[in-house]
Amino acid sequence: MKNVLFLWLVASSSALPQPAPKFTVQVVDSQISIGYGLAIGDVDGDRKPDILLADQKEIVWYKNPGGKPLVNGTAGWKRYVMAANLTPQDNVCIAARDLNGDGRVEVAVGAGWNPSETSDSTKSGAVFYLIRPQDPTQPWEPVRLPHEVTTHRMRWAKVGKDSYQLVVVPLHGLGNKNGEGKGVRIWGYEFPKNVRGTWKQHLVDSTLHLTHNFEVWEDGNTTGMIVASKEGGQIFRWQKNKWQPVDDESASNALDILSKGVSGIGEIRRMDNGQRIATIQPMHGNLLQIESGFYSFREPRKPVDEKEITLITDIFNQGHALVCGDFLGLGSDQIVAGWRNPNAEGKVGVRLFKQKEPGNMEGYPLDDSVNMACEDMQAADLDGDGDLDLIASGRSTHNVLIYWNQRK
Ligand SMILES: [Ca+2]
Ligand SMILES: [Ca+2]
Ligand SMILES: [Ca+2]
């Protein structure tokens, strides 16, 4: 009894009074098809971040209207089609980042989504760079790059002072059945001076399976990435002009340690500048976990026996979206995670999780009144008021929503 009381006192005295998270929802689009992938960046160069979406058949962007965020209705965020029907199959991912410093994003997309076809690369996977037209509200010109089967996720990585790569992570290796067989070939495509010319390719890895998602980060002069796979989390570092694996047991599979009998990581994100990682496990799984460890290349990593794993919740059905950030201004990161299929309570949605809240395993609903069968999610300060807002795309709910952070 004494112990319990002591813990309670410590918890309450260290936790200053904090208002509950408050977000208001704006519907940007309620008529999308699937909403596979989101990216945020300034498309038109007005210094206001816009929303880019890889929808089932179209690649679109929504122009940030600025001004006071609207809470009701879809007014304001005008939709423009960048490309349509790039392949006979669905689009699946998008990456947007300003690479040449003109304040406007460069855009690449993945298509040919056909996860059951792992042998014939003419029927599975596609990678395109989209050349910006004079007027970005007009169609962009697709340039096809070489690809592996089952193209699935992509991000731009800065690997040198003026040097960038498009990193593309497919879901399966060539000829895979049930995630078994050859490893997935992950490539970095060097952004060239002439985008219609050859893009030099750097092999990142070819050993992992079911590589469902990844995150890239830059830490001083070093660039790293962490890939979520059947084998767990694998870190790579760009060093001496090539990608090299970083041995880090603390990034490996948390579930083995919890002895849940399942393995693999579906979603993975760094928290608190790499002091922890958050994961959704297994792939399309129900569990949200935090794992301690040091993923900064600046500091020595902790020994693996100091690894700590915290189960945050198990309420998801097909957990599919994960972002970390200090939404509430607490000085450390919170987690926002979303799932896309109805859970035991019949709910889909997104939840915000603050750490050290043993009484609140289910997190804070950002708005229970709006349905969000969450397929992808991004965080960005869309209205420039200094707090991070959230942008989510819904699969069966066919919507793009902004959750405006009302902290400021
Ligand atoms: Ca803009
Ligand atoms: Ca640019
Ligand atoms: Ca904001």
Side-chain angles (χ1 to χ4, degrees), residues 379-394:
D381 183 8
L382 290 183
D383 56 356
D385 68 350
D387 59 26
L388 280 174
D389 310 300
L390 285 153
I391 306 91
S393 58

Side-chain angles (χ1 to χ4, degrees), residues 38-53 59-64 80 82 94-109 128-138 140-141 155-156 164 166 191 195 199 378 380 382:
L38 285 165
I40 308 298
D42 190 359
V43 176
D44 56 348
D46 66 355
R47 300 191 179 180
K48 294 195 264 296
D50 308 299
I51 300 171
L52 300 91
L53 174 72
I59 307 292
V60 301
W61 69 284
Y62 301 90
K63 181 177 161 56
N64 186 335
Y80 300 100
M82 307 171 80
I94 184 163
R97 182 171 181 170
D98 180 17
L99 308 182
N100 57 6
D102 68 352
R104 301 177 299 170
V105 288
E106 277 60 53
V107 179
V109 298
F128 296 92
Y129 177 75
L130 299 183
I131 298 180
R132 162 188 294 279
Q134 200 71 35
D135 172 359
T137 67
Q138 296 301 306
W140 295 42
E141 179 195 337
R155 300 184 195 282
W156 293 107
Y164 290 86
L166 177 68
F191 183 60
V195 293
W199 293 52
Q378 296 282 333
L382 290 183

